[in-house]
Amino acid sequence: MSLTNLNRRHLLAGSAAIAGLGLLPRTAFAQGAPIKIGTLTPLTGSGGPYGPVMVKAVKAVADEVNAAGGVLGRKVEIVSEDDQTNPDAGVRAARKLIDVDKVSAIVGTWASAVTTAVAPLCWDSKTFLATVSGADSITLLPHQGYLVRTQPNTTLQGRKFGEFAVEQGGKKVFFLTPQTPFAKSQFDNITAAVEKAGGKTGTLIYDDKKPAYRTEIDEALRFDPDTVILGGYTADTSVMVKDLFRAGFKGRKIAFAYSVNQQMLTGIQPEVVEDIFTIAPSTAEGSKAYERLAKLIGVASLDPYTCQVYDQINLILMAIAIGGSDTGTAIKDNIRKVAQAAGGAKVDNALDGLKAIAAKQPVDYDGASGPCDFTDIGDISDAKFRYEQVKGGKLSLVKIA
């Protein structure tokens, strides 16, 4: 026998002995193709401030799970695409993820228009889709169970906007919004809350690509509002608040937190944005899952979408494990078994969940965005909201309720 073959035999024998002691690196995966999960987030466009950190959270979970041996003995591979906050670009990216990359699930679609365009591709191909979009119409699509969302729907969000406007003294509330899939639902539910308190509402839908909105502002101010709710994204809301300031509007301004973010505030004169209120579905700030995610990705203050996509990937990996398969159908059939199993082991991360599943325990996951309990059509059952106000060029917490 040659020296080379002898050395090789000794090496193999030594490896076998180490494996018997369970000391081989846990990243030595069983043979088989990796489990592929796609992220489809807005790395550019209006949602660009959120997409990159969302991807970072998903990849961090995959790295952590892979370091512990993967799922079903297989490596988890994350394939990331940019939807550009644009439905056409989202469809192209989704087709690549589904047809070329053969992902089992797609997580993180942000804009409702993108999710609405992408969802049919997912249910047709039996690819599971988890979204942070809020339009009510999304879960009313015939998705056959291949879709869940961790974002509160706009029925709930609209009601919260209306109730908060009333709470702040609003009696004449005007809603300025671009045309979005949730514009009507948002306004209808704002109106229901304001009219219940004896107030009145008006609305105007504008072109979100215009460089100025003075004409629209003049029309809104003819309503003589004491409160203006801004329903746009960061780019158009930035222009809108400047034109409201130039027009001398002194009333309350309330906006989506995703549009009035710290990045926007640093680029606008402080007096223009001072006192604007923002509303967003709240993270589970202070929870173990929130603290764990913050440490995992090195971000002290987490936005709701990053928390939600973190929960989505954790749930999907556990659903694959409990179902014994990485197909979209297996995820669909098992995601509620790990999200909300009655009497299940309380877990806040995939590693603990995978251990519970290996021990044949049911699982009840509470995450960084809160309890992820889904209705039959894929909506979360309830959520808290975070209310902030711009003070001195920075967002200051008003309440979480």
Side-chain angles (χ1 to χ4, degrees):
M1 182 180 294
S2 70
L3 181 61
T4 299
N5 287 339
L6 182 62
N7 288 342
R8 183 173 180 272
R9 283 184 63 187
H10 286 168
L11 176 62
L12 291 173
S15 295
I18 293 171
L21 295 172
L23 297 177
L24 274 178
R26 299 190 71 183
T27 49
F29 299 105
Q31 288 187 348
I35 294 169
K36 292 187 177 182
I37 307 295
T39 68
L40 186 56
T41 61
L43 304 179
T44 56
S46 298
Y50 301 101
V53 71
M54 292 167 72
V55 174
K56 186 176 183 180
V58 173
K59 288 184 174 179
V61 172
D63 289 345
E64 188 177 48
V65 168
N66 286 335
V71 178
L72 304 178
R74 295 161 59 190
K75 181 180 179 180
V76 177
E77 182 179 321
I78 305 302
V79 185
S80 296
E81 294 292 336
D82 180 11
D83 67 25
Q84 302 174 36
T85 327
N86 178 282
D88 293 335
V91 166
R92 289 193 296 272
R95 286 194 183 281
K96 176 186 175 293
L97 289 170
I98 294 167
D99 299 335
V100 178
D101 300 304
K102 307 294 185 183
V103 299
S104 305
I106 293 173
V107 302
T109 53
W110 183 80
S112 294
V114 171
T115 301
T116 300
V118 165
L121 304 180
C122 292
W123 75 64
D124 282 346
S125 62
K126 294 182 169 54
T127 303
F128 194 78
L129 177 63
T131 180
V132 303
S133 300
D136 292 347
S137 57
I138 287 170
T139 47
L140 299 178
L141 295 169
H143 57 77
Q144 304 153 50
Y146 285 93
L147 182 152
V148 296
R149 71 161 145 217
T150 45
Q151 178 82 344
N153 63 23
T154 53
T155 296
L156 180 56
Q157 291 191 49
R159 194 187 84 210
K160 295 288 186 177
F161 269 83
E163 289 173 349
F164 185 71
V166 170
E167 181 183 311
Q168 296 301 312
K171 297 183 182 300
K172 297 190 72 177
V173 179
F174 201 90
F175 184 45
L176 281 162
T177 180
Q179 183 62 66
T180 67
F182 52 84
K184 184 178 186 304
S185 173
Q186 186 83 10
F187 178 64
D188 288 348
N189 286 281
I190 290 170
T191 298
V194 173
E195 289 184 347
K196 183 178 179 181
K200 297 180 179 179
T201 62
T203 188
L204 184 151
I205 292 177
Y206 61 82
D207 176 1
D208 63 354
K209 302 298 189 294
K210 291 182 67 175
Y213 295 107
R214 188 54 191 264
T215 300
E216 289 82 356
I217 295 300
D218 288 344
E219 183 174 342
L221 295 185
R222 283 195 285 271
F223 182 76
D224 192 26
D226 52 39
T227 304
V228 170
I229 296 177
L230 302 165
Y233 297 118
T234 300
D236 47 296
T237 299
S238 298
V239 179
M240 189 68 71
V241 296
K242 292 175 185 176
D243 284 345
L244 278 167
F245 181 80
R246 294 187 189 105
F249 178 67
K250 303 296 184 183
R252 302 167 201 85
K253 296 182 287 291
I254 306 173
F256 285 102
Y258 59 67
S259 63
V260 180
N261 51 44
Q262 199 60 54
Q263 182 177 336
M264 168 191 166
L265 298 180
T266 58
I268 297 180
Q269 291 176 301
E271 61 269 26
V272 173
V273 292
E274 187 72 3
D275 293 331
I276 294 177
F277 290 103
T278 68
I279 301 178
S282 179
T283 63
E285 189 173 345
S287 69
K288 289 183 179 179
Y290 183 98
E291 293 172 358
R292 195 173 193 280
L293 173 58
K295 184 177 180 181
L296 192 63
I297 64 173
V299 176
S301 181
L302 298 166
D303 67 81
Y305 312 110
T306 299
C307 290
Q308 289 179 46
V309 83
Y310 170 81
D311 293 340
Q312 291 170 8
I313 185 63
N314 278 313
L315 288 166
I316 285 169
L317 295 181
M318 289 189 293
I320 289 171
I322 203 169
S325 169
D326 67 336
T327 66
T329 300
I331 298 168
K332 169 183 75 77
D333 291 343
N334 290 284
I335 195 156
R336 288 170 179 79
K337 294 179 184 178
V338 295
Q340 60 212 71
K346 285 286 188 181
V347 301
D348 57 30
N349 64 87
L351 291 183
D352 289 344
L354 293 171
K355 291 175 185 176
I357 290 164
K360 307 298 183 184
Q361 293 179 292
V363 174
D364 183 3
Y365 176 86
D366 287 353
S369 67
C372 296
D373 296 347
F374 300 105
T375 66
D376 289 343
I377 65 170
D379 285 320
I380 55 167
S381 302
D382 197 9
K384 290 186 177 182
F385 284 73
R386 182 183 185 91
Y387 302 81
E388 295 183 313
Q389 188 174 24
V390 179
K391 290 292 183 183
K394 295 184 178 179
L395 289 163
S396 176
L397 179 65
V398 175
K399 65 175 183 176
I400 296 175

Coordinates of all heavy atoms in Angstrom, one line a residue, residues 109-110 112 130-136 138-139 148-154 156-157 182 256 258 279-282 303-306 308-309 312 369 372 374 378-385:
T109 N -41.9 40.8 0.9 CA -42.4 41.8 0.0 C -43.1 43.0 0.8 O -43.8 42.7 1.7 CB -43.5 41.2 -1.0 OG1 -44.5 40.5 -0.2 CG2 -42.8 40.3 -1.9
W110 N -42.8 44.2 0.4 CA -43.0 45.4 1.3 C -44.2 46.2 0.7 O -45.2 46.3 1.4 CB -41.8 46.2 1.3 CG -41.8 47.4 2.2 CD1 -41.7 47.4 3.6 CD2 -42.0 48.8 1.8 NE1 -41.8 48.7 4.0 CE2 -42.0 49.6 3.0 CE3 -42.2 49.4 0.6 CZ2 -42.1 50.9 2.9 CZ3 -42.3 50.8 0.5 CH2 -42.3 51.5 1.7
S112 N -47.6 47.1 -1.1 CA -48.7 46.3 -1.4 C -48.9 46.0 -2.9 O -49.4 44.9 -3.3 CB -50.0 47.0 -0.9 OG -50.0 47.0 0.6
A130 N -44.5 35.1 2.3 CA -44.7 35.8 3.6 C -44.5 37.3 3.3 O -43.4 37.7 2.8 CB -43.8 35.3 4.7
T131 N -45.4 38.2 3.7 CA -45.3 39.6 3.3 C -45.5 40.5 4.5 O -46.1 40.1 5.5 CB -46.4 39.9 2.2 OG1 -46.3 41.3 1.9 CG2 -47.8 39.6 2.7
V132 N -45.0 41.7 4.3 CA -45.2 42.8 5.3 C -46.1 43.9 4.8 O -46.2 45.0 5.3 CB -43.8 43.4 5.8 CG1 -42.9 42.3 6.3 CG2 -43.2 44.2 4.7
S133 N -46.8 43.6 3.7 CA -47.7 44.5 3.1 C -49.0 44.6 3.8 O -49.5 43.6 4.4 CB -48.0 44.2 1.6 OG -46.8 44.1 0.8
G134 N -49.7 45.8 3.8 CA -50.9 46.0 4.6 C -52.2 46.0 3.9 O -53.2 46.0 4.6
A135 N -52.3 46.0 2.6 CA -53.6 46.2 1.9 C -54.5 45.0 2.2 O -54.1 43.9 2.1 CB -53.4 46.3 0.4
D136 N -55.8 45.4 2.6 CA -56.7 44.3 2.9 C -56.9 43.3 1.8 O -57.1 42.1 2.0 CB -58.1 45.0 3.2 CG -58.1 45.8 4.5 OD1 -57.1 45.7 5.2 OD2 -59.0 46.6 4.7
I138 N -55.0 41.9 -0.2 CA -54.0 40.9 -0.4 C -54.4 39.5 0.2 O -54.3 38.5 -0.5 CB -52.6 41.3 0.3 CG1 -52.0 42.4 -0.6 CG2 -51.7 40.1 0.4 CD1 -50.9 43.1 0.1
T139 N -54.9 39.5 1.4 CA -55.3 38.2 1.9 C -56.7 37.7 1.4 O -57.1 36.6 1.7 CB -55.3 38.2 3.5 OG1 -56.0 39.4 3.9 CG2 -53.9 38.2 4.0
V148 N -49.1 34.3 4.0 CA -49.4 34.9 5.3 C -48.8 36.3 5.3 O -47.8 36.6 4.6 CB -48.9 34.1 6.5 CG1 -49.6 32.7 6.6 CG2 -47.4 34.0 6.5
R149 N -49.3 37.2 6.2 CA -48.7 38.5 6.4 C -48.6 38.7 7.9 O -49.5 38.4 8.7 CB -49.4 39.6 5.7 CG -50.7 39.9 6.2 CD -51.2 41.3 5.8 NE -52.6 41.3 5.6 CZ -53.2 42.0 4.6 NH1 -52.5 42.7 3.8 NH2 -54.5 42.0 4.5
T150 N -47.5 39.3 8.2 CA -47.2 39.7 9.6 C -47.6 41.2 9.9 O -47.5 41.6 11.0 CB -45.8 39.5 9.9 OG1 -44.9 40.0 8.9 CG2 -45.5 38.0 10.1
Q151 N -48.0 41.9 8.9 CA -48.3 43.3 9.0 C -49.8 43.4 9.2 O -50.6 42.7 8.6 CB -48.0 44.0 7.7 CG -48.4 45.5 7.6 CD -47.4 46.4 8.3 OE1 -46.5 45.9 9.0 NE2 -47.4 47.7 8.0
P152 N -50.3 44.2 10.2 CA -51.7 44.4 10.4 C -52.3 45.0 9.1 O -51.8 45.8 8.4 CB -51.8 45.5 11.5 CG -50.5 45.4 12.2 CD -49.5 45.0 11.2
N153 N -53.5 44.5 8.8 CA -54.2 44.9 7.5 C -54.6 46.4 7.7 O -54.6 47.0 8.8 CB -55.3 44.0 7.2 CG -56.5 44.0 8.2 OD1 -56.6 44.9 9.0 ND2 -57.2 42.9 8.2
T154 N -55.1 47.0 6.6 CA -55.3 48.4 6.6 C -56.7 48.7 7.2 O -56.9 49.9 7.6 CB -55.3 49.0 5.1 OG1 -56.2 48.2 4.3 CG2 -53.9 48.9 4.6
L156 N -57.5 47.7 10.2 CA -57.0 48.0 11.5 C -56.1 49.2 11.5 O -56.3 50.1 12.4 CB -56.2 46.8 12.0 CG -55.6 46.9 13.4 CD1 -56.7 47.2 14.5 CD2 -54.8 45.6 13.8
Q157 N -55.3 49.4 10.5 CA -54.4 50.6 10.5 C -55.2 51.9 10.3 O -55.0 52.9 11.0 CB -53.4 50.5 9.4 CG -52.3 49.4 9.6 CD -51.2 49.5 8.7 OE1 -50.6 50.5 8.4 NE2 -50.8 48.3 8.1
F182 N -54.3 50.2 -0.9 CA -55.0 50.3 0.4 C -55.6 51.7 0.6 O -56.1 52.0 1.7 CB -54.1 50.0 1.5 CG -52.7 50.7 1.5 CD1 -52.6 51.9 2.0 CD2 -51.6 50.1 0.9 CE1 -51.4 52.6 2.0 CE2 -50.4 50.7 0.9 CZ -50.3 52.0 1.4
F256 N -47.6 57.9 7.9 CA -47.0 56.5 8.2 C -45.6 56.7 8.6 O -44.8 57.5 8.1 CB -47.1 55.7 6.9 CG -48.4 55.2 6.5 CD1 -49.1 55.8 5.5 CD2 -48.9 54.1 7.1 CE1 -50.4 55.4 5.1 CE2 -50.2 53.6 6.7 CZ -50.9 54.3 5.8
Y258 N -43.2 54.7 8.0 CA -42.3 54.3 6.9 C -41.9 55.5 6.0 O -40.9 55.4 5.3 CB -42.7 53.1 6.1 CG -44.1 53.2 5.4 CD1 -44.3 54.1 4.4 CD2 -45.1 52.4 5.8 CE1 -45.5 54.2 3.7 CE2 -46.3 52.5 5.2 CZ -46.5 53.3 4.1 OH -47.7 53.4 3.5
I279 N -47.3 56.9 12.8 CA -48.0 55.7 13.3 C -47.4 54.5 12.6 O -47.3 54.5 11.3 CB -49.5 55.7 13.2 CG1 -50.1 57.0 13.9 CG2 -50.2 54.5 13.7 CD1 -51.6 57.1 13.7
A280 N -47.1 53.4 13.3 CA -46.7 52.2 12.7 C -47.0 51.0 13.5 O -47.1 51.1 14.8 CB -45.2 52.2 12.5
P281 N -47.3 49.9 12.9 CA -47.4 48.7 13.7 C -46.1 48.6 14.6 O -45.0 48.8 14.1 CB -47.4 47.5 12.7 CG -48.0 48.2 11.5 CD -47.4 49.6 11.5
S282 N -46.3 48.2 15.9 CA -45.2 48.2 16.8 C -44.4 46.9 16.8 O -45.0 45.9 16.6 CB -45.7 48.5 18.2 OG -44.6 48.5 19.1
D303 N -36.7 48.5 13.1 CA -38.0 48.9 12.4 C -38.9 47.7 12.4 O -38.5 46.5 12.5 CB -37.8 49.4 11.1 CG -37.3 48.4 10.1 OD1 -38.1 47.6 9.5 OD2 -36.0 48.3 9.8
P304 N -40.2 47.9 12.2 CA -41.2 46.8 12.2 C -41.0 45.8 11.1 O -41.2 44.6 11.3 CB -42.6 47.5 12.1 CG -42.3 48.9 12.5 CD -40.9 49.2 12.2
Y305 N -40.6 46.2 10.0 CA -40.4 45.3 8.8 C -39.3 44.3 9.0 O -39.4 43.2 8.7 CB -40.3 46.1 7.5 CG -41.3 47.2 7.4 CD1 -40.9 48.6 7.6 CD2 -42.6 46.9 7.3 CE1 -41.8 49.6 7.6 CE2 -43.6 47.9 7.3 CZ -43.2 49.3 7.4 OH -44.1 50.3 7.4
T306 N -38.2 44.8 9.6 CA -37.1 43.9 9.9 C -37.5 42.9 10.9 O -37.2 41.7 10.8 CB -35.9 44.7 10.4 OG1 -35.5 45.6 9.3 CG2 -34.7 43.8 10.7
Q308 N -40.5 41.8 11.4 CA -41.5 40.9 10.8 C -40.8 39.9 9.9 O -41.1 38.7 9.9 CB -42.5 41.7 10.0 CG -43.5 42.5 10.9 CD -44.5 43.3 10.0 OE1 -45.0 42.8 9.1 NE2 -44.7 44.5 10.4
V309 N -39.8 40.3 9.1 CA -39.2 39.4 8.2 C -38.3 38.4 9.0 O -38.1 37.2 8.6 CB -38.4 40.1 7.1 CG1 -37.0 40.6 7.6 CG2 -38.2 39.3 5.9
Q312 N -40.7 35.9 10.0 CA -41.1 35.1 8.8 C -40.1 33.9 8.5 O -40.5 32.8 8.3 CB -41.3 36.0 7.6 CG -42.5 36.9 7.7 CD -42.5 37.9 6.5 OE1 -41.6 37.9 5.6 NE2 -43.4 38.9 6.6
S369 N -41.7 40.8 16.3 CA -42.8 41.7 15.9 C -44.1 41.4 16.8 O -45.1 42.1 16.7 CB -43.2 41.5 14.5 OG -43.8 40.2 14.2
C372 N -47.3 35.8 16.5 CA -47.6 35.6 15.1 C -48.7 34.6 15.0 O -48.4 33.4 14.5 CB -46.3 35.2 14.4 SG -45.0 36.5 14.4
F374 N -52.1 33.5 13.2 CA -52.7 33.8 11.9 C -54.1 33.4 11.8 O -54.5 32.3 12.3 CB -51.9 33.2 10.7 CG -50.5 33.6 10.6 CD1 -49.4 32.8 11.1 CD2 -50.2 34.9 10.2 CE1 -48.1 33.2 11.0 CE2 -48.8 35.3 10.1 CZ -47.8 34.5 10.5
G378 N -54.9 34.2 6.6 CA -53.4 34.6 6.6 C -53.1 35.9 7.3 O -51.9 36.3 7.3
D379 N -54.1 36.6 7.9 CA -53.8 37.8 8.6 C -53.4 37.5 10.0 O -53.8 36.5 10.6 CB -55.1 38.7 8.7 CG -55.4 39.4 7.4 OD1 -54.4 39.9 6.7 OD2 -56.5 39.5 7.0
I380 N -52.6 38.4 10.6 CA -52.3 38.2 12.0 C -53.6 38.7 12.8 O -54.3 39.6 12.4 CB -51.1 39.0 12.5 CG1 -51.1 40.5 12.1 CG2 -49.8 38.4 12.0 CD1 -50.1 41.3 12.8
S381 N -53.8 38.1 14.0 CA -55.0 38.3 14.7 C -55.1 39.7 15.4 O -56.1 40.3 15.4 CB -55.2 37.3 15.8 OG -55.2 36.0 15.2
D382 N -53.9 40.2 15.8 CA -53.9 41.5 16.5 C -52.5 42.0 16.6 O -51.5 41.3 16.3 CB -54.4 41.3 18.0 CG -54.8 42.6 18.6 OD1 -54.9 43.6 17.9 OD2 -55.1 42.6 19.8
A383 N -52.4 43.3 16.9 CA -51.1 43.9 17.0 C -51.1 45.2 17.8 O -52.2 45.9 17.8 CB -50.5 44.2 15.6
K384 N -50.0 45.6 18.3 CA -49.9 46.9 18.9 C -49.3 47.9 17.9 O -48.7 47.5 16.9 CB -49.0 46.9 20.2 CG -49.7 46.1 21.3 CD -48.8 46.2 22.6 CE -49.5 45.5 23.7 NZ -48.7 45.6 25.0
F385 N -49.5 49.2 18.2 CA -49.0 50.3 17.3 C -48.1 51.2 18.1 O -48.3 51.4 19.3 CB -50.2 51.0 16.6 CG -50.9 50.3 15.5 CD1 -51.7 49.2 15.8 CD2 -50.6 50.6 14.2 CE1 -52.3 48.5 14.8 CE2 -51.2 49.9 13.2 CZ -52.1 48.8 13.5

